[in-house]
């Protein structure tokens, strides 16, 4: 029990550091209860806020990774787009043709370039292999979306997650 409480405190501290990091970038972070149909998290294209939708049984590490994911979009917005509104991405999010899906997929890949930076700059302590595993998972999800026009099936996701656990010994 004592170790569990220390881990819980550690995760709370890590989430706090990520929120402080977000504030330093000019973002406001909101936490909302997850409702059916909500994404796991979202970053506004104007670069003002991140909203995390928390499921009842969601692990703290998953919350941390969702926040890293959205912060990475913001860093890409800063460094690649110079904080300018990305009209091309905005238009692509409303369509489902292959060109639009490619734009979305590339945006996800561009954001992933910052995951390790955020991990290091905020002094996170969960196993780095978990971060890499989630990066591979996101890459897979968005690649399938790009290729097919919809996300992977539950069966595909479970099989891919099994492969990742084996690859990362997790």
């Amino acid at each position: 029990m004592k170790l569990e409480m220390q881990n819980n405190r550690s995760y709370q501290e890590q989430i706090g550091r990520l929120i402080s990091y977000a504030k330093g970038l000019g973002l406001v972070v909101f936490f909302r209860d997850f409702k059916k149909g909500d994404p796991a998290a979202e970053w506004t294209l104007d670069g003002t806020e991140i909203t995390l939708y928390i499921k009842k049984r969601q692990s703290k590490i998953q919350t941390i990774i969702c926040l890293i994911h959205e912060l990475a979009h913001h860093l890409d917005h800063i460094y690649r787009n110079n904080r300018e509104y990305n009209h091309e991405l905005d238009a692509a999010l409303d369509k489902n043709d292959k060109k639009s899906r490619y734009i979305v997929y590339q945006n996800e890949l561009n954001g992933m370039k910052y995951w390790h930076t955020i991990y290091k700059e905020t002094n996170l302590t969960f196993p780095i292999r978990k971060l890499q595993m989630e990066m591979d998972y996101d890459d897979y999800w968005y690649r399938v979306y790009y290729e097919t026009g919809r996300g992977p099936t539950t069966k595909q996701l479970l099989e891919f997650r099994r492969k990742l656990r084996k690859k990362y010994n997790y």
Side-chain angles (χ1 to χ4, degrees):
M1 178 71 171
K2 195 171 190 176
L3 179 61
E4 184 179 313
M5 288 174 60
Q6 287 175 333
N7 280 340
N8 191 26
R9 189 174 318 126
S10 172
Y11 284 121
Q12 286 300 111
E13 289 169 0
Q14 290 178 76
I15 291 170
R17 285 196 301 273
L18 286 167
I19 291 170
S20 293
Y21 187 79
K23 286 179 183 176
L25 295 172
L27 290 163
V28 178
V29 178
F30 295 100
F31 293 87
R32 306 264 191 259
D33 290 333
F34 178 85
K35 293 183 183 115
K36 188 174 180 169
D38 284 340
E42 58 189 355
W43 167 79
T44 57
L45 289 176
D46 64 0
T48 58
E49 64 187 57
I50 290 173
T51 304
L52 299 170
Y53 297 95
I54 308 300
K55 295 179 181 177
K56 289 180 182 178
R57 301 177 111 192
Q58 182 169 315
S59 71
K60 288 183 177 53
I61 198 165
Q62 194 58 44
T63 301
I64 289 169
I65 288 172
C66 284
L67 188 48
I68 290 170
H69 178 117
E70 300 309 323
L71 283 166
H73 284 305
H74 189 68
L75 287 179
D76 185 54
H77 171 68
I78 292 169
Y79 291 110
R80 200 168 54 84
N81 297 327
N82 199 28
R83 295 185 190 259
E84 296 292 324
Y85 191 82
N86 189 338
H87 294 281
E88 181 183 44
L89 177 60
D90 190 15
L93 290 169
D94 292 332
K95 299 177 186 170
N96 195 19
D97 60 276
K98 193 144 187 171
K99 180 181 178 189
S100 296
R101 294 192 311 264
Y102 180 77
I103 292 167
V104 171
Y105 179 49
Q106 282 304 124
N107 184 67
E108 292 299 326
L109 292 177
N110 289 335
M112 278 184 218
K113 295 174 186 173
Y114 298 99
W115 285 36
H116 285 98
T117 301
I118 295 165
Y119 179 91
K120 289 175 184 174
E121 286 184 349
T122 57
N123 196 29
L124 300 179
T125 58
F126 66 87
I128 192 76
R129 68 179 190 246
K130 180 65 175 168
L131 183 74
Q132 190 60 49
M133 194 168 111
E134 291 302 319
M135 289 173 70
D136 288 356
Y137 181 86
D138 272 17
D139 177 51
Y140 172 74
W141 199 100
Y142 284 99
R143 189 170 11 95
V144 170
Y145 167 72
Y146 162 59
E147 292 167 354
T148 66
R150 61 185 191 289
T153 65
T154 301
K155 184 178 177 181
Q156 289 172 315
L157 288 174
L158 290 173
E159 179 60 30
F160 190 71
R161 182 71 75 183
R162 195 174 351 220
K163 289 177 184 176
L164 287 176
R165 283 193 189 106
K166 187 174 181 179
K167 176 181 177 181
Y168 290 102
N169 196 26
Y170 201 79

